[in-house]
Amino acid sequence: MAQKRLMQELQALQKEKWVTIETDETNLLRWKVGLWVVNPDSIWHGAYLRADMRFPTEYPYQPPTFKFLTKGICHPNVYTDGHLCISILHRPGDDEQSGELASERWNVLHGVESVLRSVLLLMDDPEINSPANVDASVLYRDKRDEYDAHAKDVVNRTQSDIPDGVRMPTTSELAPVPVKPVEDDADFWNMSDEEEDFGGSDSDEDMGDFEEDDDDEDDDEDDETK
């Protein structure tokens, strides 16, 4: 079940330009991921963030794990060893201890893409009330300039991690492909009188013959009664 689901998700993600994925040929339950931070308003803009994702055999009923391989990420929700703390990767169900609701945690409807997009959103909007990295949380809250400088340093260092032949997609490349509108058939609105006469079929003419036959039968019945 897990491998079949992952193969379907992999084929879809390989068409995306903001993520690169390498899989272990002998173990589909382990992925190497490269995430482009394409949001131009992000302090992490331009970063190529590498990560390791591992999937349980119970996937998609249980969540994967996510660990950054990019070193030195200073972020409130990233442990110093690179592991990410994010609600979507927590086991299904309500958690009274943390106060997280089931709707905030993992469920079978989630997938790799929803996880990766959530990671990118969290990079720009960290949860500082329950940080995985207290020092980073303090920097983000009280010394934003210093925090931003750390982020910029990471962005610059990740440029050496970009694989050969890979580049950050442009904004136009990420834009959805416009759907071509269906054009009206001009001839449809300029139909001839003959085409508008929807009742002028051969079958109608045949019905006229039946009506005449009925009239003849009625006349014969009248003659017999006289």
Side-chain angles (χ1 to χ4, degrees), residues 151-168:
K152 287 296 185 183
D153 180 61
V154 172
V155 173
N156 292 331
R157 286 192 289 107
T158 63
Q159 304 309 302
S160 61
D161 295 330
I162 302 172
D164 293 338
V166 175
R167 63 174 178 78
M168 189 174 77

Side-chain angles (χ1 to χ4, degrees), residues 21-36:
I21 299 173
E22 296 180 19
T23 58
D24 188 332
E25 294 181 358
T26 62
N27 184 7
L28 191 58
L29 299 180
R30 183 172 180 177
W31 293 12
K32 290 288 193 301
V33 177
L35 283 177
W36 284 109

